[in-house]
Amino acid sequence: MVLTADADETVLAAARREGAGLPFGCRTGACATCTGRVLDGDLEHVRPPRGLKARHLEDGYALLCIAEPRSDCRIEVGAAVANDLVSNPWK
Amino acid sequence: MSDSESPDHCDHGHDHEGPGYATPQAAIEEAERERTAYVMGIYTGTGVDAPDFVGVVDLDPESDTYGEVVNRVEMPNVGDELHHFGWNACSSSCHVDGLERRHLVVPGQRSSRIHVLDTKDRRDPEITTVIEPEEVFEHDLSAPHTVHCIPDGQILVSMLGDADGELPGGFLELDENFEVDGRWDPPGEIEMNYDYWYQPRHNVMVSTEWAAPETYYPGFDLEDVEAGKYGRKIHFWDWAEGTVEQTIDLGEEGQIPLEVRFLHTPEAAHGYVGTALSSNVFHFSKDGGDGDGAWSAEKVIDVEAREHDDWDMPVPGLVTDLLVSMDDRYLFFSNWLHGDVRMYDVSDPANPRLADRIWAGGTFGPSHPTGEDDREVVGGPQMLQLSLDGERLYWTTSLFSSWDDQFYPEEAEKGSVMLKADVNPRKGTMELDEDFLVDFGDLPDGPARAHEIRWPDGDCTSDVWQ
């Protein structure tokens, strides 16, 4: 779906305003429930993305509760994206 | 301090006027059979865009809806990840006239939002108060976990992080009107936090450690273990002063100490903590072994990891919940990854004896424990609750959404179950009730994760006595 974010509006806030059901939790950048993967475009975290490790940021993951678009973006979203952050470490 | 010198209980008198029961034995004798359970239902990580709920489960065997979720109290917001909850009052306030065990305090682990439910109508509770996250963050705390009433009407909530989801955690105190009183502990007493329990006659509280919310929220990462980001200490507090008097490092065998329980007998100075990652149970006591009345802790149960063809490394049991029966005779705990729930005789508290165990789901247990025609159990035994008379043990299968998705990803699609075993306390045996399965996979908004269980009349994981 296509969302239009206002200036200084996070992706999550825009999604909520337009009634799109993005998952979220803490809304402070700690829990990573709202994780999306940026396929194209530029997102800026306006608070430290504590729920993501360096490897996740390098892989293009972003926390949509604290990320504001700085250009047109294409973002993969949903619970499955957050689940990809970690896997069973023993299996 | 000896028992005879302990504060408060001498003037306590035990004229039973308030909520709960005068003694643990009174709870066993006077309580009716549990006919209603409150069970957390969670949608985080399932892809279902719906608020979490407190499920009302019918446990009345005479009812046409026995074993069903007969009502759901939906939260006002999505994304809370309801986890643990507690009563506004318990038997520790049994001397307080006019106080009722009536309100459930229901925090959101991820949102830091705290809800209060009025359960005057047991089958149809309603939300009366919501404390928004910003009110919690004002006290530089987040991630509420364990809720205990504390004597005289206040409520104490363990908080696992600061306002940013980093360390340190602490404790938030609510007053009898469910308004935030402030931070209970002087900041800096502990770094990590998780569960706690108190034993007033010994003027002691014990607290445990998980990790910073920013560490455990996204999922379990061995990199974080290697970096020392997970806890392995337990803290003994001066209950009256709110300060830590003693910390015990449980070491490599005590990694991630989660649920902690004192024996119910108010004179007892014995308790247990399950260490999830190390898959052990520690017994702690004020044994006076060194003559100064200090607390000590010793590993008393070791769950050995097991090989599995599909796993690269041996599978740890992951002791995620434990409880002590109201008569202090048995310890039950769950091995969430293995798939068994165990029953130990703890009549000699420092020397638990395995009495019985049940396999249901998990990595090694039967995937259809209640019968091949019944729905599949896709998680392992997790949160436990025992009837006050010690004859019925119930459990659910969800641990924490992001951790569930790592180890039992099918649970997000199929939902949790609530199972039950019939316990014979006289013989020390358990038997799975194959006629009982509460299906949280079949709900109007979609499959839900089921977590902690509470009874309206108090239970084995919330009642404390003075």
Side-chain angles (χ1 to χ4, degrees):
Chain A
M1 86 178 281
V2 177
L3 294 175
T4 303
D6 295 335
D8 302 326
E9 187 177 37
T10 65
V11 177
L12 176 65
R16 300 280 293 163
R17 178 171 48 72
E18 296 199 16
L22 285 190
F24 66 94
C26 71
R27 297 188 300 168
T28 67
C31 81
T33 312
C34 64
T35 298
R37 193 166 187 193
V38 183
L39 305 177
D40 292 303
D42 183 22
L43 278 180
E44 181 183 354
H45 288 115
V46 295
R47 292 180 62 163
R50 296 179 176 86
L52 296 180
K53 293 186 164 71
R55 69 174 194 263
H56 300 136
L57 294 166
E58 289 166 10
D59 287 344
Y61 290 103
L63 299 181
L64 304 183
C65 74
I66 56 166
E68 296 176 358
R70 296 291 179 249
S71 70
D72 287 347
C73 295
R74 199 160 60 93
I75 309 166
E76 183 183 10
V77 299
V81 181
N83 293 343
D84 285 341
L85 295 178
V86 283
S87 57
N88 184 334
W90 296 302
K91 198 169 179 179
Chain B
M1 180 187 296
S2 71
D3 292 346
S4 60
E5 295 167 335
S6 61
D8 295 336
H9 78 283
C10 292
D11 58 5
H12 183 49
H14 265 150
D15 292 329
H16 183 195
E17 297 167 333
Y21 304 92
T23 62
Q25 182 60 27
I28 295 168
E29 293 172 6
E30 297 169 10
E32 295 182 0
R33 178 190 172 120
E34 68 290 349
R35 297 186 188 280
T36 301
Y38 300 120
V39 183
M40 301 303 225
I42 297 121
Y43 280 115
T44 306
T46 63
V48 175
D49 184 30
D52 296 343
F53 60 88
V54 174
V56 180
V57 177
D58 185 347
L59 296 183
D60 182 354
E62 305 301 317
S63 167
D64 291 341
T65 52
Y66 175 58
E68 295 180 15
V69 180
V70 292
N71 195 6
R72 293 173 301 128
V73 183
E74 288 194 344
M75 299 300 108
N77 299 273
V78 299
D80 288 312
E81 182 138 17
L82 305 182
H83 192 63
H84 287 219
F85 59 152
W87 290 102
N88 67 306
C90 77
S91 295
S92 70
S93 299
C94 71
H95 57 293
V96 183
D97 192 13
L99 195 61
E100 292 179 84
R101 186 193 339 243
R102 171 170 158 177
H103 291 91
L104 275 174
V105 179
V106 183
Q109 232 301 305
R110 284 183 196 257
S111 67
S112 300
R113 186 177 290 107
I114 300 173
H115 316 80
V116 180
L117 273 61
D118 184 347
T119 67
K120 184 178 182 183
D121 183 340
R122 289 186 171 188
R123 292 294 175 103
D124 191 17
E126 58 181 29
I127 297 176
T128 58
T129 304
V130 178
I131 299 171
E132 293 296 339
E134 291 72 19
E135 294 178 67
V136 173
F137 297 156
E138 276 180 24
H139 300 276
D140 202 20
L141 292 168
S142 70
H145 190 272
T146 299
V147 176
H148 278 298
C149 67
I150 56 179
D152 303 328
Q154 295 89 357
I155 295 152
L156 196 60
V157 187
S158 64
M159 309 291 294
L160 275 56
D162 69 8
D164 291 322
E166 299 181 304
L167 298 175
F171 292 86
L172 188 73
E173 187 170 352
L174 310 181
D175 66 19
E176 57 272 30
N177 298 314
F178 309 110
E179 292 175 355
V180 176
D181 238 2
R183 188 170 178 138
W184 175 80
D185 54 321
E189 290 295 299
I190 54 170
E191 189 171 38
M192 293 184 200
N193 203 3
Y194 180 71
D195 193 27
Y196 80 98
W197 195 287
Y198 63 100
Q199 192 71 315
R201 290 197 195 178
H202 293 280
N203 188 34
V204 67
M205 179 179 94
V206 57
S207 68
T208 61
E209 296 186 334
W210 192 3
E214 63 174 351
T215 300
Y216 68 78
Y217 272 154
F220 176 70
D221 191 341
L222 275 179
E223 189 179 289
D224 293 328
V225 177
E226 290 157 6
K229 292 185 177 179
Y230 278 99
R232 59 183 214 182
K233 297 173 185 167
I234 57 175
H235 307 277
F236 293 89
W237 299 66
D238 182 310
W239 176 237
E241 297 296 325
T243 53
V244 174
E245 296 297 302
Q246 190 182 344
T247 291
I248 297 178
D249 186 338
L250 300 175
E252 289 294 317
E253 295 192 305
Q255 294 188 80
I256 314 187
L258 293 179
E259 312 305 325
V260 63
R261 321 288 181 203
F262 270 111
L263 298 190
H264 295 93
T265 304
E267 295 286 347
H270 295 273
Y272 299 93
V273 57
T275 59
L277 183 57
S278 303
S279 302
N280 295 318
V281 175
F282 281 72
H283 164 248
F284 55 84
S285 62
K286 191 170 76 171
D287 55 14
D290 53 6
D292 64 1
W295 294 88
S296 61
E298 185 179 5
K299 185 187 73 173
V300 289
I301 300 171
D302 187 340
V303 177
E304 292 194 5
R306 289 181 56 173
E307 298 284 349
H308 190 286
D309 289 344
D310 296 338
W311 289 53
D312 298 330
M313 296 173 67
V315 184
L318 225 72
V319 177
T320 50
D321 191 23
L322 81 174
L323 66 76
V324 177
S325 60
M326 194 55 79
D327 62 3
D328 290 340
R329 199 173 149 200
Y330 292 105
L331 171 74
F332 297 85
F333 70 84
S334 51
N335 280 316
W336 186 60
L337 281 183
H338 282 184
D340 58 320
V341 54
R342 296 194 188 183
M343 174 181 185
Y344 281 75
D345 164 12
V346 290
S347 49
D348 176 0
N351 294 288
R353 178 189 65 88
L354 179 63
D356 204 355
R357 75 158 87 173
I358 283 176
W359 287 95
T363 307
F364 297 100
S367 55
H368 294 269
T370 60
E372 287 303 315
D373 294 335
D374 286 348
R375 64 150 287 183
E376 184 181 12
V377 174
V378 291
Q382 216 285 101
M383 293 310 295
L384 309 171
Q385 193 51 266
L386 183 68
S387 61
L388 292 175
D389 64 9
E391 295 186 3
R392 292 165 301 282
L393 180 73
Y394 302 79
W395 64 87
T396 56
T397 53
S398 167
L399 174 60
F400 190 63
S401 65
S402 42
W403 294 41
D404 288 353
D405 286 333
Q406 283 177 270
F407 298 103
Y408 296 112
E410 305 92 341
E411 194 161 45
E413 301 160 16
K414 296 181 178 174
S416 299
V417 297
M418 179 177 174
L419 299 175
K420 165 179 172 277
D422 292 312
V423 182
N424 185 329
R426 193 170 62 81
K427 293 187 174 179
T429 57
M430 293 187 291
E431 183 177 4
L432 186 71
D433 181 351
E434 296 184 3
D435 295 326
F436 184 93
L437 184 151
V438 184
D439 188 358
F440 281 74
D442 183 23
L443 293 172
D445 290 320
R449 307 177 194 278
H451 196 68
E452 198 176 37
I453 307 165
R454 296 232 169 273
W455 318 135
D457 290 317
D459 47 56
C460 295
T461 60
S462 65
D463 262 74
V464 175
W465 277 266
Q466 284 205 66

